[in-house]
Amino acid sequence: MTNEPAPGPADETPCRPGDSILESIARRTGRAPRVNLLDAGTAGETPILDPKAHAYQNELSATDQGKYRILGEIARGGMGVVLRGHDIELGRDIAIKVTDGELAKRPEVIERFVEEAQIGGQLQHPGIVPVYELGLMADQRPYFTMKLIKGRTLAAMLTRRKSVEEDRVRFLDIWESVCQTMAYAHSKGVIHRDLKPANIMVGAFGEVQVVDWGLSKVLRRGGVADEVEARDTAMSVIETVRSGSGSGSDSIVGSVLGTPAYMSPEQAQGEPDKLDERTDVFALGAILCEILTGAPPYVAGGGQNLVQMAAFGELDAARARIDACSAAPDLKRLCLASLMTARAARPRDAEELANAVHAHLAGLESRAHEAQLAAAEERVRAERSRRRLQLTLSAGAVLALVAGGFWFLGTQRRERIQELSVSLGSIGDDSLSLAREGDFARAVEVARGGLRLVEAAEATPELRTRAERLVAAAEEALHEEEQRLAEAERERTLFDFLLDVEIRQVSTGFVETDEELERQYEAAFAAYGFDVEAENIGERLAALRDTDLGVRLALGFDGWSRLLRRMGAARDFKQELLTGIGIDLDTEPLRTTIRWALVGGDKQQLLELARDLDVDTTSPETLALLASSLSEFRLFEEARSLFVRGANRHPTSFLLNFGAGSALYQLDRDSETDSFEGAVGYLRAALALRSDLVGLHVQMGDLYRSRGHVLLSVRHVDQAVRRAPDHRWNDWVIGWTHWQAGNLEEALVWYERAVANSGGDWELVATHALEVTLGRAPFEEFLAWCEVDRTKNMWKTIQPGRMLVFPGQSGLEPDPARALDLLERALPEGYGHGAYWSALLWAYLAVGNLERALEVIEQGREFEDDLADQQRLSLRLLRDATVARLQGEVRTQRSLLEQARWVRAQLMAGMEEEWRGTAFHANFEYLERIAQGE
């Protein structure tokens, strides 16, 4: 609709300050044209949440006040507010995003805000909200204007569904549009980092747009698009105020940005350097998961933190929901692939997802079209039959009357037989289609339904035979599938064991002896049906030689052989037999050479192989075998280097990631080299590939416990125990971890198990000490029990004193003087344990006896724990701060206190509330007061 005011007298006065363009035109021409189009189908879809926000009108610059009219606030985000406005000159409603007043004082916020505008301005795609203009408010705060989205969010649409099956194709169409939009963004080197249903708008006429690019990131080296290289090519990339600046302000290392329920593990772990297109792929998979199952991958419950669930990639529940949903198998596979915790295992970018879902939807459309054609053909056949029947009746009415209608009845029966034949053909097609989709049980059910239909209709023998053959074919396919699944399950069980048993041999959470492990190897292969001493072993080897299964079995026999070599000469014959089986199963030349070198004990040959190896062209299996063989000869540095290089070259290899993580963990424990972060990275990658392996969770628990991260340690240990409660657990290690994490009831259960299984001194004392801490026994009774045979059990001397020195160990009121009385009696024995010397030292520091404290520091120095443990390091710094205070060195005391607090903050980062219930927290606060002289 056009509205043109009558022309007025022209005014040659030049533009005045603050005039809008229309006002200037009107002054020159005497007319200000205004065109307003109908706004159909979008009423009420972008409500104003705060109409009083029009006060922003006064904050516009003088020029902009004549150009824009602020109508109110429609949204508020982390960096500012989104206003609904009206562009007076062009007559269109717009959205205006303005930075928050306080945040606008921070340069990094301004950079991120301007970058969002620049990215939106350069991403030219129908699925991305166009940015119109970047400007400044009167107080110099930046703002930008963009298209006002009128529609509903995908989140709102999903909540209105009555079931997950409702409008599934429509929602898949929307998801495909989002994938296509993100494919375009990825081609420009941009990732969104906060994809979720609430950030997808669907307009009244079906248009789909991805909104809120406030957390988006332009990829540098490590993503598909490298900005430096892209500028030298014809490919267009997005440039922002930070492109190539090297400012490092795009993210704070360790920060977590995004929405946890849809977040990839690498994003939840706060590792911005690892984010790339696959981070968005995970989020797209999370949205698809919600479309198919009604919920995103991570759902809060049981007090679990969504960020922690995302960081650990706890997707078992989501995978079970996806498997159980009624979606087509190809959609389920696509969703599961997108939600792989290992980045390298996901589709590389959104284009792959868009192509896959497009193929699915095209298949649906094709099948629907074919069904329509089949129905139309059936209707034509039925109509022809009806007409033939009418003509026959007209021509032979007299004959029919004379014959008593017998001919007519016969025709009816033939028509029924024909209809039944068509129906049986359709049933056969349905059964075959279900079998092709992998639903063999339903295929049999449909086929049997066809047979029942034929039997009920008293069909011809030919039709009955067809129906019986259809059932037989479906049942045979089902039987073959059941056999295949059973064989696959036997293989899965064996290979899961082979991976797990390798892990268990390097983890402290298990207590199996080598003899027990050997029996488990033998039982596992026997359960699979592989008897290494059977007479027909040669036939089995010939059938499996150089197949994928044969190579995997050979690697399993390699692990068994390593165990036997460690056990000594008594098993030389058997380990040579197993190595020989491996050589027969896997004739790849390099792996054969490695195995013969192991049989001959040729360390030099292994070193030469490792030196000359080309990691880029060598398979992961060969690299893992050679690295493990080097470790057997205690060539740990060479083995570690090969594992690490191999894992970097083959990021989806579980064996190489686990080997690299374990090797770096051993280095971190056994030397002064700080390799903790590297160990965590590779073991996380292994866990992302196989989160179901019990031993790997225990290994992660070992790793975190070695640095004092007991909360993360107990989290992994709990997952392992839940998955395999019948394992031979190292009860006291698990009990100690729970104790340090503040889970006293759980710790007591494990210590009681340890007492029942082994009855060791420490487990027995710890059990009684926990009963005191839990208020189930008085301390004096515990002390009296410890006095009995005290000299034969050092823990009976150490533990009561520790409980009086460290409140976190007992909940008792600290009594350092009495603790000294108990601990000093043990000095003649000179206990070689750091726990004793630590308790004695803090008792002297608490009573202010600096001279004796310094002597104890010297006496117990050889028993000090590794400084890599952040808990012990922070307490060591408090100790040194206390010594400095007693020596009158105030500046040193303050510096050490600050260092101790910093170390503690790093340890507790992101889990402060959980740490408050631990013994460490209580001890730190008490010892901090001593260090301050309070």
Side-chain angles (χ1 to χ4, degrees), residues 562-601:
R562 276 195 296 275
L563 172 67
L564 295 178
R565 279 192 288 274
R566 190 172 72 230
M567 294 174 70
R571 290 171 173 78
D572 281 352
F573 173 76
K574 190 169 184 179
Q575 66 90 4
E576 287 182 11
L577 169 65
L578 297 177
T579 303
I581 290 175
I583 292 171
D584 277 336
L585 284 170
D586 177 15
T587 63
E588 195 277 329
L590 184 51
R591 289 196 290 271
T592 300
T593 302
I594 295 169
R595 291 181 177 114
W596 279 121
L598 287 169
V599 171

Side-chain angles (χ1 to χ4, degrees), residues 490 494 523-532 534 536-537 540:
R490 284 195 295 272
L494 174 63
F525 276 102
Y528 178 66
F530 206 115
D531 182 357
V532 297
N536 67 339
I537 186 68
R540 291 291 305 274

Side-chain angles (χ1 to χ4, degrees), residues 109-136:
V109 173
I110 296 299
E111 283 189 34
R112 185 176 290 282
F113 185 84
V114 173
E115 178 172 301
E116 180 184 358
Q118 292 174 326
I119 290 173
Q122 294 177 63
L123 288 176
Q124 302 293 310
H125 189 275
I128 298 172
V129 181
V131 170
Y132 297 144
E133 181 182 23
L134 180 64
L136 293 173

Side-chain angles (χ1 to χ4, degrees), residues 17-321:
D19 277 357
S20 71
I21 293 175
L22 289 183
E23 288 171 334
S24 299
I25 291 174
R27 187 172 293 108
R28 291 181 56 198
T29 66
R31 172 179 300 186
R34 296 186 185 277
V35 176
N36 294 296
L37 304 181
L38 291 175
D39 193 14
T42 57
E45 294 292 358
T46 51
I48 294 176
L49 304 180
D50 183 4
K52 294 181 289 185
H54 60 70
Y56 279 93
Q57 185 77 35
N58 298 327
E59 298 179 22
L60 294 170
S61 66
T63 301
D64 288 344
Q65 285 190 22
K67 184 177 181 180
Y68 301 125
R69 181 178 300 116
I70 306 297
L71 304 176
E73 177 182 321
I74 56 177
R76 184 170 289 273
M79 287 189 290
V81 62
V82 180
L83 305 171
R84 181 166 183 162
H86 186 75
D87 185 330
I88 299 170
E89 294 168 348
L90 294 177
R92 63 182 175 186
D93 287 341
I94 57 172
I96 306 174
K97 191 165 186 177
V98 186
T99 44
D100 179 89
E102 288 300 315
L103 289 176
K105 299 175 183 177
R106 295 167 52 184
E108 70 273 14
V109 173
I110 296 299
E111 283 189 34
R112 185 176 290 282
F113 185 84
V114 173
E115 178 172 301
E116 180 184 358
Q118 292 174 326
I119 290 173
Q122 294 177 63
L123 288 176
Q124 302 293 310
H125 189 275
I128 298 172
V129 181
V131 170
Y132 297 144
E133 181 182 23
L134 180 64
L136 293 173
M137 306 289 281
D139 60 1
Q140 300 302 297
R141 277 184 295 155
Y143 73 85
F144 61 85
T145 63
M146 54 187 169
K147 178 182 177 181
L148 179 67
I149 304 298
K150 299 180 180 182
R152 291 179 295 169
T153 66
L154 178 59
M157 296 172 67
L158 289 172
T159 55
R160 295 178 185 179
R161 290 188 300 178
K162 295 177 182 177
S163 70
V164 292
E165 290 82 12
E166 182 181 323
D167 282 343
R168 178 180 285 161
V169 172
R170 179 190 180 197
F171 286 116
L172 289 175
D173 275 328
I174 293 170
W175 191 73
E176 181 189 0
S177 297
V178 175
C179 291
Q180 289 171 343
T181 299
M182 291 313 304
Y184 167 79
H186 289 171
S187 75
K188 294 293 185 181
V190 176
I191 58 175
H192 189 283
R193 296 200 291 183
D194 195 20
L195 290 170
K196 57 186 176 182
N199 281 342
I200 297 166
M201 295 293 297
V202 182
F205 300 103
E207 62 273 28
V208 178
Q209 292 183 309
V210 179
V211 301
D212 197 352
W213 294 76
L215 297 184
S216 59
K217 176 182 178 181
V218 178
L219 294 176
R220 295 174 175 82
R221 175 66 63 189
V224 167
D226 176 73
E227 290 183 72
V228 176
E229 290 183 1
R231 289 197 192 99
D232 296 331
T233 69
M235 176 182 173
S236 171
V237 300
I238 302 301
E239 296 189 15
T240 73
V241 291
R242 294 183 294 170
S243 296
S245 67
S247 66
S249 62
D250 63 332
S251 185
I252 300 171
V253 174
S255 63
V256 177
L257 303 174
T259 304
Y262 305 88
M263 193 181 288
S264 67
E266 65 270 16
Q267 192 170 358
Q269 290 162 9
E271 300 178 3
D273 292 340
K274 293 185 177 180
L275 305 189
D276 61 11
E277 296 88 347
R278 289 180 171 92
T279 301
D280 282 347
V281 166
F282 187 97
L284 289 167
I287 297 170
L288 180 58
C289 175
E290 185 165 1
I291 291 172
L292 299 182
T293 72
Y298 306 114
V299 181
Q304 288 182 297
N305 181 294
L306 284 181
V307 174
Q308 291 179 20
M309 291 175 69
F312 281 89
E314 295 182 1
L315 291 160
D316 288 352
R319 289 174 181 140
R321 280 191 281 117

Side-chain angles (χ1 to χ4, degrees), residues 881-882 885 893 897 901 925 927-934:
T882 307
R885 176 181 65 79
Q893 172 209 14
L897 272 171
R901 290 165 182 153
E925 291 201 331
L927 300 179
E928 184 182 31
R929 291 196 295 272
I930 295 176
Q932 295 177 112
E934 296 177 1

Side-chain angles (χ1 to χ4, degrees), residues 540-708:
R540 291 291 305 274
L541 298 179
L544 293 170
R545 183 171 295 134
D546 293 328
T547 63
D548 179 63
L549 176 58
V551 172
R552 295 175 69 197
L553 285 171
L555 294 173
F557 284 118
D558 292 332
W560 192 354
S561 301
R562 276 195 296 275
L563 172 67
L564 295 178
R565 279 192 288 274
R566 190 172 72 230
M567 294 174 70
R571 290 171 173 78
D572 281 352
F573 173 76
K574 190 169 184 179
Q575 66 90 4
E576 287 182 11
L577 169 65
L578 297 177
T579 303
I581 290 175
I583 292 171
D584 277 336
L585 284 170
D586 177 15
T587 63
E588 195 277 329
L590 184 51
R591 289 196 290 271
T592 300
T593 302
I594 295 169
R595 291 181 177 114
W596 279 121
L598 287 169
V599 171
D602 194 339
K603 176 171 69 174
Q604 189 59 39
Q605 186 177 19
L606 293 176
L607 280 171
E608 290 174 0
L609 289 173
R611 183 192 61 209
D612 299 335
L613 198 67
D614 183 354
V615 173
D616 289 338
T617 59
T618 305
S619 71
E621 294 80 9
T622 303
L623 293 170
L625 177 60
L626 180 54
S628 299
S629 303
L630 291 168
S631 293
E632 278 196 62
F633 287 98
R634 305 189 66 79
L635 300 171
F636 298 124
E637 184 176 348
E638 292 83 356
R640 183 171 56 251
S641 172
L642 190 54
F643 270 129
V644 168
R645 287 186 294 136
N648 292 340
R649 178 63 182 83
H650 303 281
T652 59
S653 168
F654 172 84
L655 290 174
L656 293 174
N657 278 293
F658 169 71
S662 296
L664 290 171
Y665 166 51
Q666 291 297 331
L667 178 67
D668 188 66
R669 275 183 32 171
D670 300 340
S671 73
E672 295 182 359
T673 304
D674 185 355
S675 54
F676 175 76
E677 292 299 330
V680 168
Y682 288 113
L683 286 178
R684 273 183 180 169
L687 192 64
L689 292 163
R690 288 302 305 269
S691 62
D692 58 313
L693 288 179
V694 171
L696 191 54
H697 284 285
V698 176
Q699 180 73 347
M700 287 294 288
D702 282 354
L703 177 60
Y704 282 122
R705 187 169 53 250
S706 73
R707 284 299 186 97

